[in-house]
């Protein structure tokens, strides 16, 4: 702590600060243990098409199996893991696990749909991500077209050549790239023509009130139209009601994801869900 705040500052240790510092240290140790010993699990949330409701893929979402707190949401530990340089190890585990899970489902005869994995912005700069992705695909046997990587707008705003190289190399592998939480980041859209993006995931803050608010519907409509003229696909996140689903279909958004379809589910539950969902659709 004293070191973090710089040499020229005096840092007085109060019991309160000490408590906080030791809690953080403890969190970091627990997180390191989880990385070393496999203390995470993936939940899978389906994406479906708005035109015919067909299953179109899954997003893999990580949870931390915390010894005291149970399953901890990524919102609570991903930023912390990023600040401690631990996110890369976690994302690597997620990547491998998600690819091998998707491959296992396909081998069981379930629909050969893609799996999407979230990647922290840090990955695109400091690591040879494309080579590692190629290795994981080769080792798990998942075809590159069935892996999607989700990145944030802030990743693409880095004008770093390293980021550009990584994205091009991923595209050459055949992996598809999606922009997560689209619309919440920077307002410049220049990066859309600079980078090989395939899909925009419209943030759920625009989806929430889409059935009641003409303004939100207008924003989503504009995003969908722009995406289509750039030959990009659109996904709406956080779809919770039938009314939202219908409105999104009318606006031309191709894919949806959200509690209205299904929540993120543990692997075995997601397998059962797919089986039932596909049978129900065939029976229709
Ligand atoms: P995200 O990628 O935008 O994921 C969507 C989040 O929305 C998930 O939260 C999901 O559970 C939640 N969600 C899905 N449908 C609905 C809905 O209908 N309504 C509402 N209110 N929420 C819905 P989750 O699982 O807590 O993940 C939070 C964020 O953590 C993710 O946002 C993603 O940015 C990050 N994350 C998740 N897994 C990973 C990972 O493996 N690596 C990295 N770097 N980040 C991850
Ligand atoms: Mg995501
Ligand atoms: Mg998102
Ligand atoms: Mg999000």
């Amino acid at each position: 702590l004293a070191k973090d705040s710089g040499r020229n500052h005096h840092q007085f240790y109060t019991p309160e600060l000490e408590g906080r510092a030791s809690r953080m240290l403890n969190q970091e140790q627990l997180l390191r243990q989880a990385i070393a010993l496999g203390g995470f699990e993936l939940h899978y949330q389906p994406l479906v098409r708005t035109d015919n409701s067909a299953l179109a893929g899954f997003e893999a979402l990580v949870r931390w199996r915390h010894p005291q707190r149970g399953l901890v949401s990524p919102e609570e530990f991903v930023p912390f893991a990023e600040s401690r340089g631990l996110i890369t190890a976690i994302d690597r585990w997620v990547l491998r696990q998600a690819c091998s899970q998707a491959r296992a489902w396909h081998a069981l005869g379930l629909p050969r749909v893609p799996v999407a994995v979230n990647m922290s912005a840090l990955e695109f700069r400091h690591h040879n991500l494309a080579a590692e992705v190629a290795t994981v695909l080769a080792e798990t046997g998942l075809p590159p077209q069935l892996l999607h990587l989700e990145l944030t707008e802030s990743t693409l705003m880095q004008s770093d050549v390293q980021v550009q190289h990584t994205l091009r190399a991923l595209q050459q592998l055949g992996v598809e790239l999606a922009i997560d939480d689209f619309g919440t980041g920077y307002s410049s859209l220049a990066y859309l023509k600079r980078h090989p993006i395939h899909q925009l995931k419209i943030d759920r803050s625009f989806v929430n009130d889409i059935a009641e608010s003409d303004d939100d519907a207008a924003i989503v409509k504009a995003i969908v139209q722009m995406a289509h003229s750039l030959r990009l696909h659109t996904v709406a996140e956080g779809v919770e009601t039938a009314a939202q689903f219908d409105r999104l279909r009318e606006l031309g958004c191709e894919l949806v994801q959200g509690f209205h379809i299904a929540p993120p589910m543990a692997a075995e539950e997601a397998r059962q869900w797919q089986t039932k969902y596909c049978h129900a659709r065939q029976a229709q």
Side-chain angles (χ1 to χ4, degrees), residues 75-97:
E75 235 126 54
E76 288 184 53
F77 69 87
V78 164
F80 181 73
E82 284 177 336
S83 75
R84 301 300 146 118
L86 298 174
I87 195 64
T88 303
I90 299 172
D91 283 349
R92 285 298 175 281
W93 178 83
V94 170
L95 176 69
R96 184 171 290 272
Q97 184 63 27

Side-chain angles (χ1 to χ4, degrees), residues 75 180-181 203-204 237:
E75 235 126 54
D180 209 349
D181 307 334
D203 191 70
R204 71 164 178 266
E237 304 190 284

Side-chain angles (χ1 to χ4, degrees), residues 45 59-63 73-75 78 87 91 94 118-120 150 180-181 204 237-240 257-260 264:
Q45 186 176 35
E59 177 174 5
L61 295 155
V62 72
R63 277 92 183 87
S73 140
E75 235 126 54
V78 164
I87 195 64
D91 283 349
V94 170
N118 295 280
M119 279 288 152
S120 165
E150 297 192 2
D180 209 349
D181 307 334
R204 71 164 178 266
E237 304 190 284
V239 178
E240 297 182 354
Q257 176 179 358
F259 299 158
H260 176 61

Side-chain angles (χ1 to χ4, degrees), residues 161-284:
V161 287
Q162 182 63 40
V163 175
Q164 288 212 16
H165 280 310
T166 303
L167 295 175
R168 295 253 167 76
L170 287 167
Q171 183 198 30
Q172 273 157 19
L173 279 178
V175 170
E176 297 205 351
L177 303 173
I179 301 182
D180 209 349
D181 307 334
F182 183 79
T184 59
Y186 295 81
S187 55
S188 164
L189 297 172
Y191 66 82
L192 287 177
K193 58 174 195 188
R194 213 166 49 224
H195 296 303
I197 303 303
H198 300 87
Q199 199 179 66
L200 302 184
K201 298 191 75 171
I202 304 170
D203 191 70
R204 71 164 178 266
S205 57
F206 302 112
V207 173
N208 269 337
D209 297 326
I210 197 174
E212 300 87 36
S213 155
D214 290 342
D215 287 349
D216 284 356
I219 291 172
V220 170
K221 187 177 179 185
I223 294 175
V224 170
Q225 284 174 348
M226 177 195 66
H228 289 171
S229 49
L230 294 170
R231 291 172 305 281
L232 303 173
H233 297 291
T234 49
V235 183
E237 304 190 284
V239 178
E240 297 182 354
T241 68
Q244 291 167 345
F245 184 103
D246 292 342
R247 197 77 188 91
L248 287 158
R249 187 186 48 227
E250 285 161 15
L251 294 174
C253 180
E254 303 99 298
L255 301 175
V256 293
Q257 176 179 358
F259 299 158
H260 176 61
I261 313 300
M265 297 168 280
E268 176 52 21
E269 200 188 336
R271 185 191 64 76
Q272 288 171 18
W273 182 91
Q274 291 176 70
T275 308
K276 262 173 66 183
Y277 188 81
C278 297
H279 276 304
R281 283 191 70 253
Q282 272 159 18
Q284 271 171 14

Side-chain angles (χ1 to χ4, degrees), residues 14-60:
T14 63
E16 191 197 324
L17 259 179
E18 215 168 78
R20 191 166 159 261
S22 74
R23 267 204 310 282
M24 299 284 265
L25 198 62
N26 186 246
Q27 282 297 97
E28 183 172 342
Q29 279 162 355
L30 287 174
L31 202 54
R32 285 184 187 278
Q33 260 173 35
I35 292 167
L37 304 173
F40 299 97
E41 62 184 70
L42 286 185
H43 286 199
Y44 297 88
Q45 186 176 35
L47 287 81
V48 305
R49 293 171 58 126
T50 52
D51 60 352
N52 61 7
S53 292
L55 180 66
F58 283 92
E59 177 174 5

Side-chain angles (χ1 to χ4, degrees), residues 79-176:
F80 181 73
E82 284 177 336
S83 75
R84 301 300 146 118
L86 298 174
I87 195 64
T88 303
I90 299 172
D91 283 349
R92 285 298 175 281
W93 178 83
V94 170
L95 176 69
R96 184 171 290 272
Q97 184 63 27
C99 290
S100 83
Q101 183 61 76
R103 179 77 178 89
W105 283 337
H106 303 158
L108 286 174
L110 290 163
R112 293 174 58 82
V113 293
V115 67
V117 172
N118 295 280
M119 279 288 152
S120 165
L122 303 172
E123 317 287 336
F124 293 86
R125 279 186 107 149
H126 304 297
H127 304 278
N128 194 354
L129 182 63
E132 293 186 43
V133 167
T135 304
V136 170
L137 290 170
E139 287 177 9
T140 59
L142 186 73
Q145 295 72 21
L146 297 183
L147 175 63
H148 291 184
L149 295 182
E150 297 192 2
L151 25 137
T152 58
E153 289 171 88
S154 57
T155 304
L156 300 171
M157 295 301 293
Q158 309 175 35
S159 48
D160 215 295
V161 287
Q162 182 63 40
V163 175
Q164 288 212 16
H165 280 310
T166 303
L167 295 175
R168 295 253 167 76
L170 287 167
Q171 183 198 30
Q172 273 157 19
L173 279 178
V175 170
E176 297 205 351

